[in-house]
Amino acid sequence: MTGSGRLAYLPMPVLVDAAFADRLEATGRPESRYRFTGPCSEGACPQWTGTDCGVIDHILDDGPPSAGALREDAPLPACGIRRTCRWFAQRGAAACAVCPSVVADTGGTATYRSTHG
């Protein structure tokens, strides 16, 4: 995360192993500075609606009217996970437009749905 609270993209995915996780933990809650991703677990995830990821749908469908606004001619940002990204597969460029503002650190065991309705 940048100082302004937006996601900064990495050009390539980074493998998080135990040593890397230990280094991140040593400087505070990594979730407050990084957003981690993994393969979509679909029905095993509390955010799964039965057909889609409820997080990106909630953000784009129930967010402010400008949520997901991306000029048609605007290039997509460089992203190391787009080819496997559930949000991109589900909502395309609109998901990319809001992705940098999604902060997943809910501070414990809460889920996005339980804290954002």
Side-chain angles (χ1 to χ4, degrees):
M1 286 299 201
T2 66
S4 66
R6 290 185 60 82
L7 182 75
Y9 292 93
L10 296 176
M12 299 293 296
V14 174
L15 177 63
V16 178
D17 60 13
F20 184 71
D22 288 343
R23 285 194 309 270
L24 293 180
E25 289 277 340
T27 58
R29 287 178 49 82
E31 297 87 351
S32 67
R33 298 180 320 278
Y34 299 92
R35 192 170 77 214
F36 300 96
T37 184
C40 176
S41 59
E42 297 183 350
C45 175
Q47 312 307 329
W48 189 249
T49 66
T51 58
D52 291 311
C53 176
V55 173
I56 195 62
D57 284 344
H58 177 75
I59 292 166
L60 292 174
D61 296 342
D62 301 332
S66 62
L70 188 67
R71 290 187 354 249
E72 285 186 34
D73 61 343
L76 295 176
C79 175
I81 66 162
R82 184 172 294 117
R83 66 180 179 80
T84 60
C85 177
R86 159 65 65 183
W87 291 0
F88 181 74
Q90 190 170 313
R91 300 296 294 259
C96 293
V98 297
C99 181
S101 63
V102 178
V103 178
D105 182 14
T106 58
T109 59
T111 64
Y112 182 88
R113 185 173 293 151
S114 69
T115 59
H116 294 93

